[in-house]
Amino acid sequence: ALFVSDVSISVLGRMASAAENYAYEANYNLILYNTHDDAEREMAYINTVAQRSVDGVLFLAATQPEKGREILEAVGIPSVTIYRIPDSHSVPSLMIDNIKAGRLAAEHLLSLGHTHLAHIAAPLNIRLSHERQQGFVQAIEQVDHKANIYTETARDWGCQPGYEAMQRLLKRDPHPTAVFAATDLSAIGAMSAIRDAGMRVPNHISVKGLDNNEDGAFSNPTLTTIRQFLAELASVGVQMLLDILEQKEPSQSEIVLDPALVVRKSTASPPSA
């Protein structure tokens, strides 16, 4: 069984597809439970799974995998958590190094000469969101103590919240010359807000995302981003679960994959340079 908060979100959909394909190649059927970030619905699905002939569970962006794991463990069903890992998680899990992702974004923008920088965060009640912000802010503070750092939190992961957060950033004085958005969709929304304000990307403001979605590769300008290696994340997660089912001891209880910088045309030196 695969638990996903919202399979319509492109990042989660890509990982769900990769997990299903890997499971199929291993002669397993995958059952999808789309929870919509509803804790009550998620627990109802977990209780359903606990009563069915399910071999194992992969939690992908679940709201409360720890509680779910305890219920499943009581009936002998193992689980692995990937991507959205809670702070207190201590069982087999797999995630991206989100602090490093934030740091890579900051280092790239600093190398271009920016000193007025901003971050559009995803909802900060999720560990990966506050880690991305933490990595971004810490990397800037370590290099330039005088840099202006602005932060805005988008209400969700999409384009419209990114647009609205960018509108708020444009009211800052001075406004940022470079913005790192926690998702590619937020970054695309931010670029639209910049255009609607009569400015250009990257001539006036550089914009950078995170995900390496296809949307960013075909935006105008094409979006500089951080790649998460989503297919690998899902595939390794399924393999961890299969190893547990075969009573193999995982070599690591927590696996952290490195992100990578993808430079395109949405970032450049600030106007003053």
Side-chain angles (χ1 to χ4, degrees):
L2 174 66
F3 281 73
V4 183
S5 62
D6 187 351
V7 76
S8 69
I9 296 174
S10 58
V11 170
L12 303 182
R14 286 161 64 190
M15 284 193 283
S17 178
E20 187 276 333
N21 187 60
Y22 196 91
Y24 177 78
E25 294 294 331
N27 296 315
Y28 278 86
N29 294 321
L30 187 144
I31 304 168
L32 174 68
Y33 291 90
N34 201 35
T35 68
H36 301 278
D37 268 334
D38 181 337
E40 185 176 343
R41 180 186 296 204
E42 185 175 300
M43 292 312 302
Y45 286 155
I46 286 170
N47 286 315
T48 297
V49 166
Q51 298 170 36
R52 299 181 61 177
S53 56
V54 173
D55 294 297
V57 171
L58 192 67
F59 288 112
L60 167 55
T63 62
Q64 44 191 342
E66 280 288 293
K67 188 175 181 180
R69 178 191 62 82
E70 292 173 3
I71 294 172
L72 296 170
E73 198 173 63
V75 294
I77 299 175
S79 64
V80 169
T81 304
I82 65 172
Y83 189 65
R84 190 189 292 181
I85 314 296
D87 290 316
S88 59
H89 207 60
S90 59
V91 296
S93 60
L94 182 66
M95 63 187 296
I96 296 294
D97 189 337
N98 289 291
I99 292 177
K100 183 173 182 179
R103 190 168 69 247
L104 285 174
E107 289 171 350
H108 172 66
L109 296 174
L110 288 168
S111 73
L112 294 172
H114 292 279
T115 57
H116 304 295
L117 304 106
H119 177 52
I120 297 175
L124 291 172
N125 61 320
I126 298 170
R127 175 181 171 182
L128 63 83
S129 300
H130 62 74
E131 285 186 344
R132 290 172 187 177
Q133 179 170 293
Q134 177 186 342
F136 183 72
V137 172
Q138 286 180 347
I140 295 170
E141 291 176 341
Q142 288 170 1
V143 173
D144 188 352
H145 294 291
K146 296 182 180 180
N148 287 327
I149 308 172
Y150 307 127
T151 59
E152 287 287 344
T153 303
R155 54 184 167 81
D156 67 32
W157 312 81
C159 293
Q160 183 63 33
Y163 182 97
E164 294 165 357
M166 190 67 232
Q167 285 184 315
R168 296 192 294 272
L169 287 170
L170 290 172
K171 295 177 182 177
R172 302 292 187 100
D173 185 21
H175 66 67
T177 61
V179 178
F180 165 50
T183 71
D184 280 356
L185 293 180
S186 291
I188 290 170
M191 289 199 292
S192 182
I194 292 166
R195 285 193 295 269
D196 287 351
M199 291 181 281
R200 296 176 63 189
V201 178
N203 305 60
H204 299 102
I205 302 178
S206 291
V207 178
K208 182 180 195 135
L210 189 154
D211 284 332
N212 197 35
N213 276 347
E214 186 179 54
D215 312 69
F218 290 93
S219 63
N220 184 22
T222 54
L223 182 65
T224 296
T225 188
I226 303 291
R227 184 183 175 190
Q228 296 198 75
F229 299 98
L230 299 171
E232 292 89 336
L233 191 70
S235 299
V236 174
V238 174
Q239 186 58 56
M240 284 180 72
L241 186 56
L242 296 178
D243 287 344
I244 294 170
L245 292 173
E246 295 174 6
Q247 298 184 334
K248 296 178 182 177
E249 189 69 28
S251 58
Q252 297 172 268
S253 61
E254 181 179 88
I255 297 176
V256 180
L257 301 183
D258 281 337
L261 175 66
V262 179
V263 179
R264 297 196 182 104
K265 296 182 179 179
S266 66
T267 51
S269 298
S272 60

